[in-house]
């Protein structure tokens, strides 16, 4: 899979401007052209420079030519002077005479005195070729000094060649002959000989055009000179040479002063032909450069195009790599055909690019995979973090991390709420301020010394939380040491167990007390009485007083349960008041109270007191009722086994005495006790007989599942068949069976019978489960598990459909042992129920510690639940607590439809009771009950 690599700069996918190849070609052409042009220009400059020198030399030679011509012309004029002087030496008079002959050679002649006066002169008619007085004076002065003839060229305005020759006349006068001839002849000769233009001019000092005196070709010469003057910015005064381009074309000129004159002379040569030749040469050079460049470019093109094309493909493919389009790049790179033999650098680059592409592709896939994995991990971590944060702040427990001195590192929402910190930061606070036991002066940090000194994994303890609003709440803490940022911290998790404690307390209290009167209940009375008897000192005497309200059930029927309860409460108070403190008082039956009188000196309890107990008046709302109570007083002695014996004596005596006469006080004598023991003996014999002759019968009572509304299982309840064919209830014989250690035997018989019934059902496809009562002593037998296994294999029933109802849990000797035994049962697939929950129940811990699946709430709390609010409160809390521990709840003793509705409302899981069915023999069992 292709995936874009991280890339900050986006490269274009293709070359959009000039390609590298085109740029290279253009560069080569331009470079070649520049080189050729430079070369051409340099040769042009060299040629023109050389030509300039040549022209200059030529023009300098022309100056000499002109000078020579001028001297030659002057000499001619000197020689002609002889003709005026030789015949008679009187030149003065001959001048006029000679004029006609002069006409062909000179323009004018003059005889000048040595003072510069023209003595005589002659000239050709119409001509005006005479020097001015300035020139004459200058010449006279020069000759006076040199005594030599002199020649000069004067343009005033016409140019003349003027010579001055000194001579002495016949009469001895010093004279000067001046002969003048037009300079045109000289100039024309020069032009004829040299073919160059000659211009005589007077340079102007101001920036003005030169004042042309003579031009060998009239206006043509003037035009050329002016063009040069313009090119030289009219600076002709000092100029000696010119060669260059002017408005009149390429011109060369040489300037010099005329000897003996202020005039300047310019020899001008038209060099346009040379310039055009040079221009043509340059064009040819350029053309050659262009052609060469094109040819070179063609060669370069042919040579470089294939590799550059490859390079272009690679170049275009490279941005695809950075864009992560590896397959596109691979396709693009495939377009390059590689020669097997000839491999150049670009082929290597191509090969490398392909390798890089593959490597990046692989890398990208790996990165993507890793990124996905990372994302998943991040996601999981984020979820975990959110979960942790949610847990931290929504947890119904206090979570605090703190240092050894108790200073808080972090405290969750519940902790902040309880401490009163609420939204304030908890950093500077100390947890010991809230979590401590003020009574024993223990702080949270103080309680963690074990964890600090001998680091264990975890430490559990209970310490109260002193809340910000002044409450003291019970907390169960679990502490551990954690490390955050390399520093050691304590993590303390605290669960508020205040309510649980209260519920436990109330359950314990309920377990120990009678809910109506608040007195001890029967089982607690037995425990307490036993304790007193066993710790009784030699000089102590113990009497049991049993008080039973006569016709109490009738009273209930007449005035209702509330009134009955009221009677019990008031009567209990009455007994308390009458008998004082030195006794143990309990309600041991529905209308029955027992008092254990402990006295130091032997003697009967005060009779008048006891008599007073046999009568009591109560306001029923409709009038005052007098009720009576029958009282049995039995004295404890060493012949009696214990409180059970004492109680059973008193009970049987009570029944007998009531039949004789209610509302009296009776003192048991030794004879009565013997009678009672005789009864017990007979019952035991009867039970043994029944066991031996298989006269134990199982009755079945259906239990309905409140979710499916159908019978889900049945409880097996044992009955003893007596000689007369009637069924004796277990309450009658189980007590003696326990006393005689026969309970395990009964339990195994019941278990086997139940399993056989279960096997029959399973064979018939009936899925109903069976629950069997099992007493703690049986369970604790060392070979119980083994015998259970034997029964399972003997009967062939599946133990998964079996529930063991654990009765008489009080008898369990060791909870840890019981847990192990129950685990053994569970391993076989059977389930466990805790029977008679809520009554005679010593420790609520059993519920937490034992691996039970069901709680059976005792019928005492259920039977009148529709009438008693207290029962409802208690049952509701038992159900909620059991559910919170994951246990299912069975309510037994359901007798009324109203009770069903209340229990349904409380979300009880199963119900059992006379409302559905009484315990019946298998033949009468109806499994189709539907609620
Ligand atoms: P239990 O296990 O709690 O059994 C429930 C008792 O409540 C049964 O009495 C049953 O008949 C009675 N009962 C059920 N529904 C109602 C109702 O709606 N109202 C009233 N008033 N009573 C109801 P039973 O059969 O007399 O058994 C009494 C106790 O004897 C049992 O209490 C159990 O502890 C013990 N027991 C019975 N059979 C066996 C047995 O096979 N083995 C052992 N170890 N104990 C047994
Ligand atoms: Mg039971
Ligand atoms: Mg029960």
């Amino acid at each position: 899979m292709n995936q874009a690599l991280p890339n900050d700069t986006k490269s274009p996918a293709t070359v959009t401007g000039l390609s590298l190849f085109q740029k290279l070609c253009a560069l080569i052409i331009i470079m070649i052209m520049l080189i050729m042009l430079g070369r051409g220009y340099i040769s042009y400059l060299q040629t023109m420079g050389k030509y300039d020198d040549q022209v200059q030399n030529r023009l300098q030679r022309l100056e000499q030519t002109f000078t020579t011509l001028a001297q030659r012309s002057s000499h001619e004029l000197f020689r002609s002077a002889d003709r005026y002087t030789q015949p008679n030496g009187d030149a003065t008079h001959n001048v006029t005479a000679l004029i006609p002959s002069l006409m062909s050679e000179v323009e004018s002649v003059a005889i000048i005195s040595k003072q510069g006066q023209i003595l005589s002169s002659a000239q050709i008619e119409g001509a005006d070729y005479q020097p001015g007085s300035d020139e004459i004076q200058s010449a006279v002065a020069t000759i006076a000094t040199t005594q030599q003839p002199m020649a000069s060229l004067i343009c005033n305005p016409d140019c003349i060649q003027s010579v001055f020759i000194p001579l002495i006349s016949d009469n001895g006068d010093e004279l000067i002959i001046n002969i003048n001839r037009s300079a045109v002849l000289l100039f024309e000769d020069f032009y004829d000989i040299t073919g160059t233009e000659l211009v005589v001019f007077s340079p102007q000092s101001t920036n003005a055009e030169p004042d042309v005196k003579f031009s060998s070709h009239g206006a043509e010469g003037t035009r050329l000179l002016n063009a040069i003057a313009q090119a030289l910015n009219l600076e002709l005064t000092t100029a000696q040479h010119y060669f260059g381009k002017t408005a009149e074309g390429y011109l060369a000129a040489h300037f010099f002063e005329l000897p003996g004159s202020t005039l300047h002379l310019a020899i001008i040569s038209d060099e346009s032909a040379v310039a055009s030749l040079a221009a043509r040469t340059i064009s040819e050079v350029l053309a050659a450069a262009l052609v060469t460049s094109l040819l070179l470019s063609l060669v370069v093109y042919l040579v470089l195009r294939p590799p550059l094309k490859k390079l272009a493909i690679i170049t275009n493919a490279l941005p695809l790599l950075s864009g992560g389009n590896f397959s596109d790049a691979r396709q693009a790179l495939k377009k390059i055909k590689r020669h097997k033999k000839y491999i150049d650098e670009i082929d290597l680059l191509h090969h490398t690019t392909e390798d890089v592409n593959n490597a990046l592709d692989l890398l990208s896939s790996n990165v993507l995979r890793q990124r996905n994995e990372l994302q998943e991990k991040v996601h999981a971590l984020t979820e975990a973090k959110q979960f942790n944060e949610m847990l931290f702040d929504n947890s119904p427990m206090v979570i605090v991390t703190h240092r050894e001195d108790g200073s808080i590192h972090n405290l969750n929402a519940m902790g902040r709420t309880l401490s009163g910190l609420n939204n304030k930061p908890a950093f500077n606070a100390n947890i010991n301020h809230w979590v401590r036991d003020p009574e024993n002066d223990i702080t949270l940090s103080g309680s963690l010394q074990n964890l600090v000194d001998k680091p264990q994994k975890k430490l559990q303890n209970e310490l109260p939380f002193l809340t910000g609003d002044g409450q003291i709440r019970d907390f169960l803490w679990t502490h551990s040491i954690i490390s955050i940022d390399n520093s050691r911290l304590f993590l303390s998790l605290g669960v508020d167990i205040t309510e649980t404690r209260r519920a436990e307390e109330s359950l314990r209290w309920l377990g120990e007390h009678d809910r109506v009167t608040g007195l001890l209940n029967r089982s607690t009375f037995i425990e307490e009485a036993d304790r007193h008897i066993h710790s009784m000192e030699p000089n102590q005497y113990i009497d049991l007083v049993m008080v039973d309200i006569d016709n109490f059930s009738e009273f209930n029927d007449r005035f209702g349960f509330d009134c009955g309860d009221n009677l019990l409460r008031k009567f209990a108070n009455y007994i308390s008041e009458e008998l004082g403190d030195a006794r143990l008082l309990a309600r041991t039956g529905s209308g029955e109270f027992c008092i254990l009188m402990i006295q130091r000196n032997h003697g009967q309890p005060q009779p008048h007191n006891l008599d007073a107990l046999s009568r009591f008046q109560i306001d029923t709302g409709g009038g005052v009722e007098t009720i009576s109570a029958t009282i049995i007083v039995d004295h404890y002695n060493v012949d009696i086994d214990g409180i059970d014996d004492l109680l059973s004596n008193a009970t049987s005596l009570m029944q007998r005495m009531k039949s004789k006469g209610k509302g009296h006080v009776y003192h048991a004598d030794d004879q009565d006790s013997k009678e009672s023991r005789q009864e017990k003996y007979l019952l035991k014999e009867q039970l043994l007989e029944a066991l031996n002759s298989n006269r134990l019968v199982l009755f079945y009572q259906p239990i309905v599942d409140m979710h499916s509304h159908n019978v889900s299982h049945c409880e097996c309840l044992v009955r003893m068949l007596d000689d007369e064919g009637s069924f004796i209830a277990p309450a009658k014989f189980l007590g003696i069976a326990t006393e005689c250690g026969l309970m395990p035997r009964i339990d195994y018989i019941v278990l086997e019978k139940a399993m056989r019934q279960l096997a029959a059902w399973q064979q018939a496809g009936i899925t109903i489960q069976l629950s069997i009562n099992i007493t703690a002593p049986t369970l604790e037998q060392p070979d119980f598990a083994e015998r259970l296994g034997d029964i399972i294999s003997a009967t062939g029933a599946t133990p998964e459909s079996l529930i063991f109802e654990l009765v008489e849990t009080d008898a369990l000797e060791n909870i840890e042992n019981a847990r192990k035994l129950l685990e053994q049962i569970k391993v076989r697939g059977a389930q466990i129920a805790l029977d008679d929950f809520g009554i005679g129940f010593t420790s609520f811990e059993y519920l937490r510690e034992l691996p039970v699946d069901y709680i059976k709430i005792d019928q005492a709390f259920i039977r009148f639940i529709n009438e008693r609010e207290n029962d409802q409160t208690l049952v509701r809390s038992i159900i909620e607590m059991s559910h919170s521990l994951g246990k299912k709840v069975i309510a037994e003793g359901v007798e009324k439809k109203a009770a069903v509705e209340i229990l349904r409302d409380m979300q009880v899981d199963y119900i059992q009771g006379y409302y559905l069915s009484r315990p019946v023999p298998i033949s009468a069992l109806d499994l189709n009950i539907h609620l």
Side-chain angles (χ1 to χ4, degrees):
M1 191 190 295
N2 291 340
Q3 183 64 34
L5 292 172
N7 189 8
D8 290 338
T9 52
K10 199 93 177 150
S11 303
T14 52
V15 176
T16 52
L18 283 176
S19 72
L20 181 62
F21 171 66
Q22 289 166 324
K23 284 176 188 165
L24 198 66
C25 286
L27 192 69
I28 290 169
I29 293 170
I30 289 167
M31 279 179 63
I32 292 170
M33 284 188 71
L34 282 176
I35 291 166
M36 300 286 279
L37 275 176
R39 183 74 200 104
Y41 184 67
I42 289 166
S43 13
Y44 168 75
L45 288 180
Q46 285 173 345
T47 311
M48 292 306 276
K50 273 184 198 164
Y51 193 74
D52 186 13
D53 291 346
Q54 284 173 11
V55 168
Q56 208 173 336
N57 289 337
R58 185 161 52 87
L59 292 180
Q60 272 175 355
R61 279 198 303 277
L62 288 177
E63 182 190 344
Q64 283 174 2
T65 308
F66 178 79
T67 310
T68 311
L69 279 176
Q71 282 173 351
R72 200 174 291 161
S73 180
S74 298
H75 283 299
E76 274 179 21
L77 287 177
F78 288 151
R79 271 194 304 273
S80 68
D82 294 347
R83 277 190 287 165
Y84 309 114
T85 57
Q86 279 172 2
N88 53 17
D90 186 1
T92 315
H93 303 292
N94 285 345
V95 171
T96 313
L98 286 172
I99 285 172
S101 61
L102 288 172
M103 291 295 287
S104 59
E105 295 171 9
V106 297
E107 261 70 32
S108 68
V109 177
I111 304 295
I112 301 166
S113 70
K114 75 171 188 181
Q115 286 79 27
Q117 288 175 333
I118 298 172
L119 299 176
S120 78
S121 66
Q123 62 183 20
I124 292 173
E125 196 177 351
D128 187 14
Y129 292 110
Q130 282 190 346
S133 57
D134 290 348
E135 283 99 0
I136 291 170
Q137 286 304 324
S138 163
V140 168
T142 306
I143 288 171
T145 316
T146 62
Q147 290 301 317
Q148 292 287 318
M150 64 164 284
S152 65
L153 198 64
I154 299 165
C155 293
N156 195 21
D158 294 332
C159 286
I160 54 170
Q161 244 190 322
S162 183
V163 292
F164 294 88
I165 306 149
L167 64 94
I168 300 184
S169 69
D170 294 346
N171 49 8
D173 295 336
E174 288 180 19
L175 299 172
I176 295 168
I177 294 180
N178 170 235
I179 304 169
N180 299 300
R181 186 169 60 181
S182 169
V184 173
L185 285 173
L186 175 65
F187 294 154
E188 281 175 353
D189 283 352
F190 179 78
Y191 184 74
D192 290 343
I193 293 166
T194 64
T196 50
E197 198 71 46
L198 194 142
V199 181
V200 178
F201 66 95
S202 172
Q204 302 296 312
S205 54
T206 54
N207 287 340
E209 287 189 342
D211 177 16
V212 176
K213 303 291 187 185
F214 176 79
S215 164
S216 53
H217 282 84
E220 175 71 8
T222 308
R223 195 167 49 79
L224 294 179
L225 182 65
N226 281 339
I228 292 168
Q230 289 299 331
L232 287 171
N233 290 328
L234 303 174
E235 286 291 332
L236 290 178
T237 324
T238 54
Q240 287 190 333
H241 179 74
Y242 176 78
F243 180 74
K245 194 170 166 72
T246 68
E248 297 297 330
Y250 258 88
L251 297 176
H254 183 69
F255 305 97
F256 57 93
E257 279 183 37
L258 282 175
S261 164
T262 57
L263 294 175
H264 286 228
L265 206 141
I267 300 169
I268 301 172
S269 162
D270 188 351
E271 303 294 333
S272 296
V274 176
S276 66
L277 184 68
R280 202 167 57 241
T281 308
I282 286 179
S283 333
E284 282 170 7
V285 168
L286 272 177
L290 193 64
V291 170
T292 312
S293 305
L294 288 173
L295 282 173
L296 266 173
S297 301
L298 189 64
V299 171
V300 169
Y301 176 82
L302 291 174
V303 172
L304 291 183
R305 188 178 153 74
L308 284 176
K309 207 171 169 185
K310 289 183 194 174
L311 207 57
I313 291 173
I314 295 170
T315 311
N316 285 334
L318 285 174
L320 296 173
L321 300 193
S322 65
N325 302 321
F326 302 114
S327 59
D328 290 354
R330 196 169 290 117
Q331 288 302 323
L333 290 171
K334 267 189 189 158
K335 288 180 196 160
I336 297 178
K337 304 249 176 329
R338 242 187 295 166
H339 203 284
K340 280 183 185 164
K341 283 186 182 169
Y342 308 109
I343 295 171
D344 57 13
E345 289 80 356
I346 294 176
D347 290 327
L348 289 178
L349 178 65
H350 174 224
H351 185 73
T352 310
T353 311
E354 278 186 332
D355 285 354
V356 169
N357 184 41
N358 292 339
L360 282 177
D361 195 2
L362 187 67
L363 182 72
S364 170
S365 321
N366 287 343
V367 166
L368 184 71
R369 184 171 44 74
Q370 283 169 0
R371 198 177 62 183
N372 285 343
E373 285 173 10
L374 203 65
Q375 269 177 352
E376 277 174 23
K377 278 182 191 160
V378 168
H379 186 66
L381 280 175
T382 311
E383 272 188 357
K385 185 173 174 279
Q386 285 172 350
F387 179 74
N388 283 343
E389 283 172 358
M390 195 196 74
L391 211 61
F392 186 71
D393 268 345
N394 294 327
S395 169
M397 54 168 64
V398 172
I399 304 174
V400 56
T401 48
H402 53 100
R403 296 172 195 86
E404 204 172 326
D405 63 355
S407 59
I408 294 174
H409 173 262
N410 204 355
L411 180 66
N412 76 336
M414 185 176 173
R416 288 201 302 275
T417 308
L418 283 179
S419 60
L421 283 171
N422 297 319
N423 292 328
K424 282 184 226 149
F427 299 115
N428 296 326
N430 194 305
I431 193 66
N432 294 326
H433 180 70
W434 295 284
V435 184
R436 62 195 162 90
D437 181 354
E439 276 180 26
N440 298 310
D441 196 21
I442 300 172
T443 60
L444 178 67
S445 299
S447 75
L448 296 179
Q449 277 314 308
N450 258 353
L451 208 58
V452 180
D453 298 342
K454 310 171 213 150
Q456 323 165 339
K457 281 192 175 160
K458 278 197 170 94
L459 179 76
Q460 265 201 352
N461 61 13
E462 284 186 25
L463 266 184
F465 196 118
L466 279 60
T467 66
D469 57 5
Q471 293 180 52
I472 299 181
R473 301 194 70 86
D474 293 331
F475 263 73
L476 176 68
W477 296 94
T478 304
H479 313 278
S480 49
I481 293 181
I482 55 169
S483 169
I484 294 179
D485 298 337
N486 290 330
S487 59
R488 195 175 68 157
L489 291 175
F490 293 93
L491 169 68
S492 298
L493 310 175
V495 183
D496 188 346
I497 53 167
T498 314
E499 298 308 323
T500 313
R501 280 277 175 275
R502 278 182 199 155
E504 272 181 19
E505 281 301 319
S506 78
L507 275 177
R508 189 171 292 118
W509 190 89
L510 284 167
E512 290 173 352
H513 293 79
D514 167 47
R515 281 164 297 119
V516 181
T517 60
L519 299 178
L520 295 180
N521 62 16
R522 185 181 182 91
S523 57
T524 317
F525 176 79
I526 291 170
E527 272 175 30
E528 288 291 303
D530 248 350
R531 201 167 52 76
H532 281 293
I533 288 170
H534 286 121
S535 60
M536 129 184 205
E537 293 165 16
N539 62 343
Q540 278 189 330
Y541 300 91
I542 290 180
D543 286 318
L544 173 71
V545 178
M546 184 180 275
V547 182
D548 192 54
I549 300 169
D550 298 326
N551 306 322
F552 180 58
S553 56
E554 282 169 23
F555 184 89
N556 267 340
D557 290 345
R558 279 174 61 205
F559 302 108
F561 283 107
D562 284 345
C563 199
D565 287 351
N566 191 32
L567 168 64
L568 290 172
R569 269 191 297 275
K570 294 230 159 108
F571 191 56
N573 287 340
Y574 179 63
I575 297 171
S576 279
E577 285 163 12
E578 287 297 314
L579 295 187
D581 285 338
R583 77 287 179 280
L584 194 65
L585 174 60
R587 181 182 167 212
T588 48
S590 62
E592 182 187 278
F593 298 84
C594 281
I595 306 110
L596 198 73
M597 311 285 283
I598 304 159
Q599 297 176 96
R600 291 238 163 241
N601 299 311
H602 182 254
Q604 299 291 333
Q606 293 302 312
H608 70 272
N609 281 347
L610 294 179
D611 278 339
L613 295 183
S614 63
R615 291 287 177 278
F616 183 68
Q617 286 196 324
I618 182 147
D619 187 352
T620 58
V624 175
E625 280 289 316
T626 303
I627 56 126
S628 67
T630 306
I631 299 159
I632 303 291
V633 185
D634 198 357
H635 177 66
Y636 174 76
N637 61 54
V638 282
D639 292 336
I640 299 172
D641 274 354
I643 187 67
D644 285 332
D645 241 6
L646 204 57
L647 271 173
S648 89
N649 285 344
T651 306
S652 58
L653 195 61
M654 177 71 79
Q655 280 173 1
R656 277 190 283 128
M657 293 304 114
K658 275 206 176 188
S659 60
K660 285 184 185 169
K662 294 177 179 168
H664 301 288
V665 180
Y666 297 98
H667 292 272
D669 56 17
D670 290 348
Q671 195 58 41
D672 283 341
S673 297
K674 276 178 196 156
E675 244 175 55
S676 152
R677 282 197 288 281
Q678 186 63 27
E679 264 178 34
K680 267 193 193 173
Y681 174 77
L682 288 174
L683 190 60
K684 182 182 165 188
E685 289 299 303
Q686 196 181 2
L687 178 60
L688 282 171
E689 171 71 24
L691 282 172
N692 292 332
S693 56
N694 192 21
R695 278 203 273 138
L696 288 187
V697 179
L698 289 196
F699 272 37
Y700 298 85
Q701 189 176 25
I703 299 171
V704 165
D705 184 340
M706 289 297 270
H707 303 291
S708 70
H709 311 286
N710 292 323
V711 177
S712 57
H713 43 282
C714 294
E715 179 174 4
C716 302
L717 294 158
V718 72
R719 302 284 182 266
M720 185 170 73
L721 205 58
D722 68 7
D723 299 334
E724 288 148 18
S726 6
F727 293 110
I728 301 172
K732 274 261 166 72
F733 61 87
L734 290 186
I736 191 79
T738 309
E739 271 180 38
C740 306
L742 291 169
M743 250 353 267
R745 209 170 147 192
I746 295 174
D747 282 339
Y748 286 128
I749 290 172
V750 171
L751 180 59
E752 190 175 344
K753 283 179 185 287
M755 292 290 273
R756 287 200 188 285
Q757 183 58 50
L758 192 61
W761 276 350
Q762 284 172 351
Q763 273 175 10
I766 299 168
T767 55
I768 305 287
Q769 293 181 303
L770 269 186
S771 69
I772 301 164
N773 294 287
I774 193 119
T775 48
T778 310
L779 187 71
E780 285 173 336
Q781 284 208 319
D783 61 344
F784 175 76
E786 197 186 326
R787 291 193 65 173
L788 176 63
D790 291 345
I791 294 170
I792 288 170
S793 32
T795 56
T798 325
E800 278 78 14
S801 298
L802 210 57
I803 298 168
F804 284 100
E805 290 187 12
L806 197 59
V807 292
E808 295 177 32
T809 43
D810 300 2
L812 281 172
E813 281 179 1
N814 178 324
I815 192 159
E816 182 54 28
N817 191 36
R819 197 180 58 74
K820 280 186 193 151
L821 293 167
L822 293 180
E823 289 290 1
Q824 282 178 1
I825 295 176
K826 293 200 74 163
V827 165
R828 294 195 171 269
Q831 292 173 293
I832 313 288
L834 215 52
D835 206 352
D836 303 335
F837 190 84
I839 214 152
F841 170 67
T842 48
S843 174
F844 186 71
E845 263 178 72
Y846 283 22
L847 183 58
R848 262 210 309 253
E849 298 298 325
L850 296 179
V852 297
D853 304 286
Y854 301 90
I855 308 296
K856 285 192 85 168
I857 304 175
D858 192 84
Q859 48 176 286
F861 302 102
I862 305 295
R863 282 172 63 194
F864 311 111
I865 192 165
N866 51 315
E867 295 164 14
R868 295 180 180 167
E869 266 187 32
N870 281 351
D871 289 355
Q872 287 178 19
T873 310
L874 189 83
V875 169
R876 190 188 298 277
S877 69
I878 291 175
I879 292 172
E880 281 171 6
M881 204 175 302
S882 304
H883 281 170
S884 74
L885 292 168
K887 324 281 184 196
K888 291 182 175 170
V889 181
I890 305 169
E892 62 182 349
V894 179
E895 294 184 349
K896 304 266 168 45
K897 187 170 185 345
V900 176
E901 295 312 321
I902 288 168
L903 290 166
R904 194 201 304 278
D905 198 45
M906 290 178 181
Q907 298 185 331
V908 76
D909 301 288
Y910 302 92
I911 58 167
Q912 174 185 5
Y914 292 171
Y915 175 72
L916 299 169
S917 164
R918 284 179 175 267
V920 290
I922 189 73
S923 53
L925 182 62
D926 179 9
L927 294 177
N928 295 319
I929 296 169
H930 184 79
L931 203 63

